[in-house]
Amino acid sequence: MARLRSFQRLASHFVDIADFLLVYIEEAHPSDGWVSSDAAYNIPKHQCLQDRLRAAQLMREGAPDCPLAVDTMDNASSAAYGAYFERLYVIQEEKVMYQGGRGPEGYKISELRSWLDQYKTRLQSPSTVVIQV
């Protein structure tokens, strides 16, 4: 939950330059599988999309202002982005601009904050010209 709250604060801080999206993927530590001793929730392995949707609602509680998507049961998003267990990305015009490390160790909100700060500075630079069509 603490990571979600940190993500929510980051999203609120940079709402003027970025859209944020949470994607709930396969449960990393299902209660009927590889159980973690510090798991915040008791979530069994998803047997169907409805199971995954129910579990995703817990994520929404941690970051209620962020849009939430749910990965397919074949884990297409997780596979495409190497997101298992958790990962931070910045995607701009269908191109990965920032790829954080794999969580939990590589999940660093502070690193993403630095990237966004630098990006915001570049956007505000007088030499930057932004043309929207």
Side-chain angles (χ1 to χ4, degrees):
M1 254 333 194
R3 287 182 185 206
L4 278 175
R5 285 190 296 276
S6 294
F7 183 83
Q8 178 71 52
R9 283 192 302 274
L10 182 82
S12 296
H13 183 77
F14 290 102
V15 70
D16 59 328
I17 64 163
D19 296 320
F20 290 81
L21 173 69
L22 293 168
V23 180
Y24 184 81
I25 60 172
E26 179 180 4
E27 185 61 35
H29 298 287
S31 58
D32 56 351
W34 183 31
V35 179
S36 172
S37 60
D38 62 348
Y41 302 103
N42 183 10
I43 301 172
K45 183 174 169 75
H46 310 136
Q47 300 300 316
C48 63
L49 188 57
Q50 285 304 103
D51 291 346
R52 189 165 287 184
L53 291 167
R54 276 191 296 277
Q57 290 308 310
L58 297 171
M59 180 183 261
R60 178 175 297 291
E61 291 171 12
D65 296 331
C66 286
L68 175 66
V70 177
D71 201 359
T72 59
M73 289 304 292
D74 64 357
N75 303 310
S77 295
S78 181
Y81 288 95
Y84 195 72
F85 302 109
E86 54 193 345
R87 204 165 206 173
L88 298 165
Y89 278 91
V90 173
I91 301 169
Q92 187 175 50
E93 297 178 14
E94 299 181 21
K95 180 179 177 188
V96 174
M97 303 300 287
Y98 168 86
Q99 178 183 24
R102 289 181 189 236
E105 293 84 10
Y107 184 95
K108 297 179 180 167
I109 291 282
S110 59
E111 188 178 278
L112 178 56
R113 178 180 293 278
S114 294
W115 191 95
L116 289 165
D117 277 331
Q118 291 172 13
Y119 178 72
K120 188 172 187 173
T121 299
R122 286 192 311 269
L123 286 177
Q124 295 171 342
S125 169
S127 63
T128 302
V129 176
V130 178
I131 301 172
Q132 293 185 341
V133 181

